[in-house]
Amino acid sequence: MSELVERQFPAKALITGLRAIGYSFSTAVADIMDNSISAFATEIKVFSDPLANEPYFCILDNGCGMSGKELDNAMLPGSDREGKEDCEIELGRFGLGLKSASLSQCREFIVASKKFGKIRAMSFDLDVIEKENKLLLKQLSNEEVEELPNIDLLDGYETGTLVIWTKFDKIECGAARFEDSFRDVVAESKKHVELVFHRFYDSIAIYYNNKRIERRDPFLLTAEGRTQRGRETRIPVNGSEIIVKPYTLPFANTLTSDEKALLGDPKKIFDEQGFYLYRNKRLISWGSWMRMGIRSELNKLARILVDIPSTLDSVWMLDVKKSSAKIPDSVKEWIKIAVQDSVVRSRKTNKFPGVKEQTPAIKVWDRIDEHEGKIKYQLNRQNPIIIALKDCLGDKENNLLEMLLSQIECYLPKYSIINDNNDSLNIINTGEDTEDERIVDEIRDIIAMVDVDKQEEMFDMLFMMESYQKVQTKKEEIRRRIFGE
């Protein structure tokens, strides 16, 4: 009969492995905040100081706090989660987050927690553990606790927890100047937190150095009548339910500054398309189609909200960092319907300007299909203004005019236009901002260039042009102003 033999893990190797799981500073911060939310905190405060004698980064919450026994368990790698049932507010996963997230960024972290009117604190110091090759934790004395940064704020709460990171060896190794690199990663973590916890904004106040984080809304749900909502799908899986909601943002160049701020002022709307996967309202992953769709310019407005409960973690193959997952094969067909809904709407919305360009009887540009995937844009030579100009020119001048038009066509800045559109820049040379009076003056000048007996015909042709659609409703008024009828 085989014999069971208990073995102790070599602490140094175990901790080295925990540090290399793959957290970024931002994902590590979010993992610590998960614990605060699971502890029913309504307020989370982040403080940092790269110029302190011992630079620190700390996260304070007013959650339920921990007793001495609970704190001791929380400091163990793979802490005992027995009795912690999955619920809508539970964001924990393996009992590794506090340790793996903290150690990924620093060599020492301290946890101080208040419960039953008493503050207890323990320290996880790699210098001590590596020296002894044993998992030795420090139990801080009352005097040491009093010296901790922001401990007075924790003492002011009835219950709560303070997590402090120090000894930032990884930042120091890669930094040209520690202070600048430290401030950069803290600022980046703020942006990350704003998005990851955006659905908690109304119930939990999160602050960075006493300033509340900004509200984020990746679906622009407040843009009533502009964001398109698709059909909600509820998928039953193993006694639980997955909720899928497709959305399509407004056309990128129509977004207001407030709407761009709600999106987090992304450099490219293009990069944010795809699935937004939430676990208990906490954003897990985004900006990816998870091999379910085609990443393209026409799909850039498509957003698919997917809500999963923590009871389905294993089905979605959620990782330790809670930053990636995989769509189960059993629900792919259901989700494809939502993907198609959002993608079709995105394509229609992005193509809308193209439809608008083709509605006038006389366009400025003609789109010529050369077949085999080749498209040519050509200035419309039947444009009344071009015709009127040619009538005023001799053969030599007409040749120069044709050369100019051909050069404009050949050197169309198509790549710059594509890049600007991808960056959601507002290309303003559309004619939409041209003042009505300037348009009237243009029409009057053009009419004056043609023979008197052709002026009425020219006037009607001008109003068939794309350039003058803006004043179409004022046609008769403008006719009276020009012809005096």
Short mmCIF file of all heavy atoms in Angstrom, two decimals, residues 35-44 60-66 113-114 154 157-161:
data_model
loop_
_atom_site.label_atom_id
_atom_site.label_comp_id
_atom_site.label_asym_id
_atom_site.label_seq_id
_atom_site.Cartn_x
_atom_site.Cartn_y
_atom_site.Cartn_z
N ASN A 35 -10.45 42.58 -3.38
CA ASN A 35 -10.63 42.18 -1.98
C ASN A 35 -11.42 43.22 -1.20
O ASN A 35 -12.23 42.87 -0.34
CB ASN A 35 -9.27 41.96 -1.32
CG ASN A 35 -8.50 40.80 -1.93
OD1 ASN A 35 -9.08 39.86 -2.44
ND2 ASN A 35 -7.18 40.88 -1.90
N SER A 36 -11.18 44.50 -1.51
CA SER A 36 -11.91 45.56 -0.83
C SER A 36 -13.40 45.49 -1.15
O SER A 36 -14.25 45.65 -0.27
CB SER A 36 -11.35 46.93 -1.25
OG SER A 36 -10.00 47.07 -0.90
N ILE A 37 -13.71 45.25 -2.40
CA ILE A 37 -15.12 45.17 -2.81
C ILE A 37 -15.78 43.94 -2.20
O ILE A 37 -16.93 44.00 -1.75
CB ILE A 37 -15.22 45.16 -4.35
CG1 ILE A 37 -14.75 46.52 -4.89
CG2 ILE A 37 -16.65 44.87 -4.81
CD1 ILE A 37 -14.63 46.57 -6.40
N SER A 38 -15.04 42.82 -2.18
CA SER A 38 -15.58 41.60 -1.57
C SER A 38 -15.82 41.79 -0.07
O SER A 38 -16.65 41.08 0.52
CB SER A 38 -14.62 40.43 -1.79
OG SER A 38 -14.50 40.12 -3.16
N ALA A 39 -15.10 42.75 0.53
CA ALA A 39 -15.26 43.03 1.96
C ALA A 39 -16.33 44.08 2.21
O ALA A 39 -16.40 44.66 3.30
CB ALA A 39 -13.92 43.48 2.54
N PHE A 40 -17.16 44.35 1.19
CA PHE A 40 -18.29 45.28 1.29
C PHE A 40 -17.85 46.73 1.55
O PHE A 40 -18.57 47.50 2.19
CB PHE A 40 -19.26 44.84 2.40
CG PHE A 40 -19.80 43.45 2.21
CD1 PHE A 40 -19.20 42.36 2.84
CD2 PHE A 40 -20.88 43.22 1.38
CE1 PHE A 40 -19.68 41.08 2.66
CE2 PHE A 40 -21.38 41.93 1.19
CZ PHE A 40 -20.78 40.85 1.83
N ALA A 41 -16.69 47.11 1.04
CA ALA A 41 -16.24 48.50 1.18
C ALA A 41 -17.13 49.43 0.35
O ALA A 41 -17.58 49.08 -0.74
CB ALA A 41 -14.79 48.63 0.74
N THR A 42 -17.36 50.61 0.87
CA THR A 42 -18.08 51.65 0.10
C THR A 42 -17.13 52.78 -0.26
O THR A 42 -17.50 53.70 -0.97
CB THR A 42 -19.25 52.21 0.93
OG1 THR A 42 -18.76 52.75 2.16
CG2 THR A 42 -20.27 51.13 1.22
N GLU A 43 -15.90 52.69 0.25
CA GLU A 43 -14.90 53.73 0.00
C GLU A 43 -13.53 53.07 -0.10
O GLU A 43 -13.16 52.28 0.77
CB GLU A 43 -14.93 54.76 1.12
CG GLU A 43 -14.12 56.01 0.86
CD GLU A 43 -14.35 57.05 1.96
OE1 GLU A 43 -13.70 56.93 3.02
OE2 GLU A 43 -15.16 57.97 1.76
N ILE A 44 -12.80 53.38 -1.16
CA ILE A 44 -11.44 52.86 -1.34
C ILE A 44 -10.53 54.05 -1.65
O ILE A 44 -10.82 54.84 -2.56
CB ILE A 44 -11.37 51.83 -2.49
CG1 ILE A 44 -12.30 50.66 -2.22
CG2 ILE A 44 -9.94 51.34 -2.68
CD1 ILE A 44 -12.42 49.69 -3.39
N LEU A 60 -6.42 51.72 0.92
CA LEU A 60 -7.19 51.72 2.17
C LEU A 60 -8.67 51.55 1.86
O LEU A 60 -9.18 52.19 0.93
CB LEU A 60 -6.95 53.03 2.92
CG LEU A 60 -7.84 53.33 4.12
CD1 LEU A 60 -7.50 52.41 5.29
CD2 LEU A 60 -7.70 54.80 4.53
N ASP A 61 -9.35 50.69 2.62
CA ASP A 61 -10.80 50.55 2.42
C ASP A 61 -11.51 50.54 3.76
O ASP A 61 -10.91 50.32 4.80
CB ASP A 61 -11.13 49.29 1.61
CG ASP A 61 -10.89 47.99 2.35
OD1 ASP A 61 -11.48 47.80 3.43
OD2 ASP A 61 -10.10 47.16 1.86
N ASN A 62 -12.82 50.79 3.70
CA ASN A 62 -13.64 50.77 4.91
C ASN A 62 -14.51 49.52 4.94
O ASN A 62 -15.66 49.55 5.39
CB ASN A 62 -14.51 52.03 5.01
CG ASN A 62 -15.57 52.11 3.91
OD1 ASN A 62 -15.46 51.39 2.90
ND2 ASN A 62 -16.56 52.95 4.09
N GLY A 63 -13.96 48.42 4.41
CA GLY A 63 -14.70 47.15 4.40
C GLY A 63 -14.82 46.54 5.78
O GLY A 63 -14.56 47.20 6.80
N CYS A 64 -15.17 45.26 5.82
CA CYS A 64 -15.48 44.60 7.10
C CYS A 64 -14.26 44.29 7.95
O CYS A 64 -14.38 43.93 9.12
CB CYS A 64 -16.29 43.33 6.86
SG CYS A 64 -15.45 42.11 5.82
N GLY A 65 -13.06 44.43 7.39
CA GLY A 65 -11.85 44.20 8.16
C GLY A 65 -11.64 42.73 8.49
O GLY A 65 -12.45 41.86 8.14
N MET A 66 -10.51 42.43 9.17
CA MET A 66 -10.16 41.04 9.51
C MET A 66 -9.73 40.93 10.96
O MET A 66 -9.05 41.82 11.49
CB MET A 66 -9.02 40.55 8.59
CG MET A 66 -9.41 40.37 7.15
SD MET A 66 -8.02 39.83 6.10
CE MET A 66 -7.15 41.40 5.88
N SER A 113 -5.27 45.59 9.43
CA SER A 113 -6.72 45.49 9.36
C SER A 113 -7.35 45.76 10.72
O SER A 113 -6.78 45.37 11.76
CB SER A 113 -7.13 44.11 8.85
OG SER A 113 -8.48 44.10 8.42
N LYS A 114 -8.51 46.41 10.69
CA LYS A 114 -9.19 46.77 11.93
C LYS A 114 -10.52 46.04 12.01
O LYS A 114 -11.34 46.10 11.08
CB LYS A 114 -9.41 48.28 12.00
CG LYS A 114 -10.07 48.73 13.30
CD LYS A 114 -10.24 50.25 13.34
CE LYS A 114 -10.88 50.68 14.66
NZ LYS A 114 -11.11 52.15 14.71
N LEU A 154 -7.06 54.60 8.79
CA LEU A 154 -7.65 53.30 9.10
C LEU A 154 -8.23 53.33 10.51
O LEU A 154 -9.33 52.80 10.74
CB LEU A 154 -6.59 52.19 8.98
CG LEU A 154 -7.05 50.79 9.41
CD1 LEU A 154 -8.20 50.31 8.54
CD2 LEU A 154 -5.89 49.80 9.34
N TYR A 157 -11.74 54.57 10.84
CA TYR A 157 -12.86 53.72 10.40
C TYR A 157 -13.28 52.78 11.53
O TYR A 157 -12.46 52.40 12.38
CB TYR A 157 -12.46 52.87 9.20
CG TYR A 157 -12.28 53.61 7.90
CD1 TYR A 157 -11.29 53.22 6.99
CD2 TYR A 157 -13.10 54.68 7.55
CE1 TYR A 157 -11.11 53.87 5.78
CE2 TYR A 157 -12.93 55.34 6.35
CZ TYR A 157 -11.94 54.94 5.46
OH TYR A 157 -11.78 55.58 4.27
N GLU A 158 -14.52 52.38 11.52
CA GLU A 158 -14.97 51.37 12.47
C GLU A 158 -14.34 50.02 12.13
O GLU A 158 -13.90 49.28 13.02
CB GLU A 158 -16.50 51.25 12.44
CG GLU A 158 -17.05 50.30 13.48
CD GLU A 158 -18.56 50.31 13.54
OE1 GLU A 158 -19.18 51.26 13.01
OE2 GLU A 158 -19.14 49.35 14.09
N THR A 159 -14.31 49.71 10.83
CA THR A 159 -13.62 48.52 10.32
C THR A 159 -12.96 48.89 9.00
O THR A 159 -13.39 49.84 8.33
CB THR A 159 -14.58 47.34 10.09
OG1 THR A 159 -15.59 47.74 9.15
CG2 THR A 159 -15.24 46.88 11.38
N GLY A 160 -11.95 48.12 8.60
CA GLY A 160 -11.31 48.41 7.32
C GLY A 160 -9.96 47.72 7.20
O GLY A 160 -9.49 47.06 8.14
N THR A 161 -9.34 47.89 6.06
CA THR A 161 -8.05 47.25 5.79
C THR A 161 -7.14 48.20 5.01
O THR A 161 -7.60 48.94 4.13
CB THR A 161 -8.24 45.94 5.00
OG1 THR A 161 -9.02 45.03 5.78
CG2 THR A 161 -6.90 45.28 4.68
#
